[in-house]
Amino acid sequence: AFLAQSMKETIKYNACDENNWDLVDGKYYAISNACGQLGQSYQDYHCPPDEKHMECPVDRNMEITAVTHATWYGAPGPLYCGPKKNPEDFTGFWDYMYECNNPWATPPETCDVYPNQKAGRYDNTVKIANVAGRTDVEGCCWWGRGVIQTTGVCNFGKLNYHLGKRAASEGREAVYPEIDFCKNPEVICSSPKYAELKWIAGLFYWMESVQSYNVRGWNYLKQLHAFVDGGYSDPSFIDAVSGIVNRGCHDPVSVYIYSRSIS
C-alpha cells in the first residue's frame, strides 16, 4: 500500500517537491500555491493538542526554492517561499503560455528558470491569489516533499522531534542529529549526502500517521482488509488514504475544505 501511494504521489512524476498544479480560475498557476493548493494552508497544519509541542514554528523570514518541478511544455517553475520586502508586496502567477525562448527579441530572451525549460515565466506584475486567498509566500515553506509528500508544520516537526536535531538536542536518540527539519525542510529533496530522506520521511509518516489512523469509525487496517477482500475494486479506499496522507483526514476534499471554512 505504501509503494502504491508513493507511485501515485511522486514516482510516476519523477518528483520530490510538490508541483505547482492547482490552476486558479482555469488559467492561473498562482505562485502562492506554495502556501497550499486546493484551498489548503500548509503552515496551519497544526498538531493535535497532545502533540502541539512537536510542531515547527513558522519562520516568516525563511527563504527556500524547491529543487524539483513539473517538466511538461510551459510547466510551472519550482515552488518557493520568502518574506515580503515591503508590506504592499504581492505575488502573481506562472504564465505557462509565455514563449520565453525568443532570441530575436531586443534584448534576446531565453528560458532560464530551470534546465530544459521550453516556455513560461513567473509574472509578478499582477496580484493573483491562490484558492485560499493568499497573495504572498511569506512563511509558506511547508509544501509536500518526499515519496508521499510530507507536508505542514506538524509533520516536519515530528520528523525533527523523533529523527532530527531536536531529538539530539533534547537527549533522545536521533538518526539524523545534525539535520534540523524545521529550519530546512527542503533537505528531504536536496541532500546528496542523505538521498534516502525522501523515503525515510514517507515511511515515518506512513507508520506514525497512516497505519495507526482510526478516526470517526474509519480504521485504516480494517479498511485495508476490506479493500483487499473486495478484490482491490473500491477506489474510495485509495482516495481516503490519499486524504490522510495529504490533508490528515480521510474525508473527501470538499468535506475537508467546508469543515475548515466553518471551524
Side-chain angles (χ1 to χ4, degrees):
F2 170 73
L3 289 176
Q5 186 66 32
S6 300
M7 175 63 75
K8 180 179 180 181
E9 293 283 338
T10 60
I11 294 174
K12 68 179 181 180
Y13 305 113
N14 194 30
C16 182
D17 286 287
E18 182 175 342
N19 291 337
N20 185 342
W21 53 264
D22 192 8
L23 195 61
V24 180
D25 295 331
K27 54 184 177 180
Y28 297 117
Y29 289 104
I31 292 171
S32 55
N33 278 344
C35 303
Q37 307 197 71
L38 287 181
Q40 302 171 78
S41 177
Y42 302 151
Q43 69 194 78
D44 294 317
Y45 274 14
H46 297 295
C47 293
D50 60 331
E51 296 178 329
K52 185 79 173 176
H53 61 286
M54 299 182 189
E55 70 182 45
C56 295
V58 175
D59 179 0
R60 296 189 177 278
N61 292 313
M62 186 182 291
E63 296 185 66
I64 295 176
T65 299
V67 296
T68 68
H69 48 80
T71 56
W72 46 269
Y73 190 93
L79 296 174
Y80 66 84
C81 62
K84 295 181 181 180
K85 300 298 189 292
N86 301 290
E88 64 275 11
D89 286 352
F90 59 82
T91 53
F93 68 107
W94 176 268
D95 183 356
Y96 65 96
M97 299 292 289
Y98 185 77
E99 295 296 336
C100 53
N101 190 16
N102 189 0
W104 300 279
T106 305
E109 291 183 273
T110 58
C111 302
D112 57 3
V113 176
Y114 55 83
N116 300 315
Q117 179 188 353
K118 300 295 190 297
R121 66 173 175 177
Y122 294 117
D123 185 340
N124 284 309
T125 62
V126 293
K127 182 188 294 187
I128 299 295
N130 68 0
V131 174
R134 285 294 295 266
T135 56
D136 66 285
V137 290
E138 190 171 88
C140 295
C141 305
W142 309 101
W143 59 78
R145 297 172 174 92
V147 293
I148 59 169
Q149 300 287 272
T150 297
T151 305
V153 295
C154 179
N155 291 325
F156 285 106
K158 285 183 178 181
L159 274 177
N160 207 38
Y161 186 87
H162 291 290
L163 303 181
K165 190 172 184 178
R166 185 174 173 187
S169 66
E170 295 180 355
R172 295 185 297 279
E173 184 177 353
V175 181
Y176 301 102
E178 73 275 31
I179 296 179
D180 192 326
F181 293 95
C182 288
K183 291 186 176 180
N184 184 18
E186 189 61 25
V187 70
I188 290 174
C189 297
S190 66
S191 174
K193 182 178 180 180
Y194 299 114
E196 75 277 8
L197 280 174
K198 60 178 63 71
W199 287 99
I200 295 297
L203 283 166
F204 175 82
Y205 182 81
W206 192 266
M207 291 186 295
E208 200 269 341
S209 297
V210 178
Q211 289 185 339
S212 62
Y213 188 86
N214 184 18
V215 176
R216 300 192 310 277
W218 203 99
N219 179 281
Y220 170 77
L221 290 177
K222 289 182 179 179
Q223 293 292 332
L224 174 61
H225 282 289
F227 178 65
V228 174
D229 293 343
Y232 307 93
S233 59
D234 183 3
S236 67
F237 171 76
I238 299 172
D239 293 337
V241 173
S242 291
I244 297 168
V245 170
N246 292 299
R247 302 184 302 278
C249 67
H250 66 279
D251 299 308
V253 173
S254 58
V255 174
Y256 170 80
I257 292 175
Y258 173 75
S259 66
R260 284 185 63 86
S261 70
I262 63 175
S263 62

